[in-house]
Amino acid sequence: MKTTRLVVDNDVNKTQVYTQAVEKLKSGEVVAFPTETVYGLGAIATNELAVAKIFEAKGRPSDNPLIVHVGESQHILKYVSEISKKAENCIDAFWPGPLTLILHAKPNVFAPNVTAGLSTVGLRMPDHPVALELLKMLGEPVAAPSANLSGKPSPTTALHVEKDLQGRIPLILDGGATGIGVESTVVDFTVDPPVILRPGGVTAQMLSAVIGEVIEPNTTTVDDATVPRAPGMKYAHYAPDAPVYLIESNLDAVDLAIQSIHTQNQKVALLAPNELKNDQADWFFSLGDQQNPEESAHHLYAHLRACDDTAADIILVTLPLKTGVGAAIFNRLEKAADGNWWHS
Ligand code: TXA
Ligand code: MG
């Protein structure tokens, strides 16, 4: 299959680009498009065969449900059987934006493979002009996971999508680099107090300001059977080719680790804020200013991907601050590292 990448900026005939994308989706094909978090790979959420193509293109396990994207927030009762006051308040406060709400799905609305057979569905309205225009013109809900090969870091540029899915999908809408850089916050509103299943751009503090108590499972105890688990958590995620190790944010610890890796004749890539730059590292990727997690989030996946273009044997990543969107960065890094910490 030939993969076409169409740029949607001010210099092109946008109507023609959107029309092509809408026609592809209506004919049961998949289309990659930008959102404010990461690029998504979309199919019409009521078309089971189209949705199956998402799983096939990504190599995604079928028991990992997809997020459904909508272009407006007024008619949500077309999709869900009930909605709590807290969920409504969060939609008012955060849509369009990086918040996915898990709600009770109305039976027989979505294709069964969208929800992986669950009675609940994840819904979000993305805050990106290209995604919103596409959803508006299409007039249908779009199921879309991140547009990467399963297990790889999520794509924050159309070129990342092209690298992973070239020849596997027909069309990529190229709207430039995404803003936030990590996926939406997923919150389960079928329980009270609501539970954060995946931290993201809408932080726990932001949610609490609107709805009071929210449960934030401690990411380091995900093996505890009492902790609610997001489907798909058991699979490898965000993983570059070389193994990732988390290391404490400390100049001496990083220095010692690099020395010890070099003693083994291995090469090391370091992902760290500017404050922890180390000239001995064979490659250094800056996560920006340590006090600015938004900047780190914006660069995180591009840097993890860039490690695949180096000859690094080991990737060291310093521990981010866990405040604000830092919680989401920490969560993704723990998965990228598969729980591995560097001990010199
Ligand atoms: O920012 C985002 O959310 C991006 C963009 C494209 O919108 N999408 C995204 O989708 O990250 P994906 O498939 O990579 O992550 C979806 C995750 C699933 O792995 C699962 O953990 C959770 O959302 N999820 C979806 N439906 C669910 C459900 N019914 N119950 C619990 N968790 C669900
Ligand atoms: Mg994903």
Side-chain angles (χ1 to χ4, degrees):
M1 181 188 299
K2 183 176 170 295
T3 302
T4 307
R5 180 168 57 87
L6 296 176
V7 176
V8 255
D9 64 21
N10 293 327
D11 301 332
V12 298
N13 181 342
K14 287 200 220 173
T15 314
Q16 202 199 331
V17 171
Y18 287 116
T19 305
Q20 277 195 56
V22 166
E23 278 169 7
K24 278 271 178 286
L25 289 167
K26 287 209 159 144
S27 70
E29 293 300 328
V30 297
V31 172
F33 61 94
T35 80
E36 81 281 31
T37 59
V38 301
Y39 273 72
L41 180 62
I44 292 180
T46 52
N47 183 335
E48 186 168 10
L49 286 177
V51 171
K53 291 180 185 170
I54 295 176
F55 287 92
E56 197 184 314
K58 282 182 57 100
R60 182 176 173 110
S62 60
D63 61 349
N64 193 359
L66 308 178
I67 292 171
V68 174
H69 297 67
V70 294
E72 45 86 29
S73 57
Q74 301 309 308
H75 302 101
I76 192 159
L77 285 170
K78 284 198 293 196
Y79 306 125
V80 301
S81 53
E82 55 184 304
I83 180 158
S84 66
K85 194 73 202 149
K86 286 183 185 178
E88 257 176 19
N89 289 345
C90 281
I91 286 173
D92 289 344
F94 301 115
W95 276 15
L99 177 68
T100 296
L101 296 94
I102 305 299
L103 299 164
H104 291 290
K106 209 167 225 179
N108 306 317
V109 171
F110 297 114
N113 49 357
V114 168
T115 56
L118 299 171
S119 60
T120 55
V121 63
L123 287 178
R124 97 171 185 99
M125 179 178 175
D127 187 14
H128 190 287
V130 175
L132 287 174
E133 184 62 25
L134 182 65
L135 289 163
K136 205 171 82 191
M137 273 184 72
L138 182 68
E140 306 258 17
V142 168
S146 49
N148 51 284
L149 280 178
S150 195
K152 285 283 155 196
S154 301
T156 53
T157 69
L159 294 180
H160 295 159
V161 181
E162 206 169 55
K163 174 127 200 285
D164 275 16
L165 300 179
Q166 178 110 58
R168 303 168 77 98
I169 62 172
L171 184 61
I172 303 168
L173 294 187
D174 183 346
T178 62
I180 296 173
V182 292
E183 301 84 347
S184 63
T185 307
V186 178
V187 181
D188 186 353
F189 283 92
T190 67
V191 290
D192 194 29
V195 175
I196 298 177
L197 298 180
R198 179 177 74 181
V202 173
T203 65
Q205 297 92 307
M206 290 159 75
L207 289 163
S208 296
V210 176
I211 54 167
E213 190 186 0
V214 284
I215 310 285
E216 228 182 327
N218 182 344
T219 48
T220 58
T221 58
V222 285
D223 287 335
D224 185 334
T226 61
V227 173
R229 303 183 65 139
M233 245 153 90
K234 60 182 183 281
Y235 298 108
H237 269 100
Y238 321 113
D241 294 337
V244 173
Y245 287 84
L246 280 170
I247 185 165
E248 61 180 300
S249 283
N250 172 299
L251 280 169
D252 291 338
V254 170
D255 209 52
L256 210 61
I258 293 173
Q259 279 179 42
S260 125
I261 292 164
H262 282 163
T263 310
Q264 312 284 318
N265 279 320
Q266 295 198 306
K267 291 197 185 308
V268 54
L270 174 66
L271 261 74
N274 295 327
E275 293 87 337
L276 292 166
K277 185 172 196 289
N278 186 305
D279 291 331
Q280 301 307 308
D282 301 284
W283 294 272
F284 174 71
F285 296 100
S286 169
L287 291 174
D289 180 339
Q290 191 159 27
Q291 302 303 323
N292 186 349
E294 284 78 17
E295 194 182 356
S296 302
H298 179 74
H299 293 297
L300 180 69
Y301 290 145
H303 286 344
L304 285 173
R305 282 177 172 268
C307 287
D308 286 349
D309 300 326
T310 71
D313 300 294
I314 287 181
I315 301 163
L316 282 181
V317 191
T318 58
L319 186 67
L321 299 176
K322 284 186 217 163
T323 47
V325 77
I329 299 172
F330 178 70
N331 166 271
R332 306 310 191 271
L333 285 175
E334 269 207 314
K335 290 185 178 164
D338 197 18
N340 286 323
W341 283 79
W342 185 270
H343 302 285
S344 281

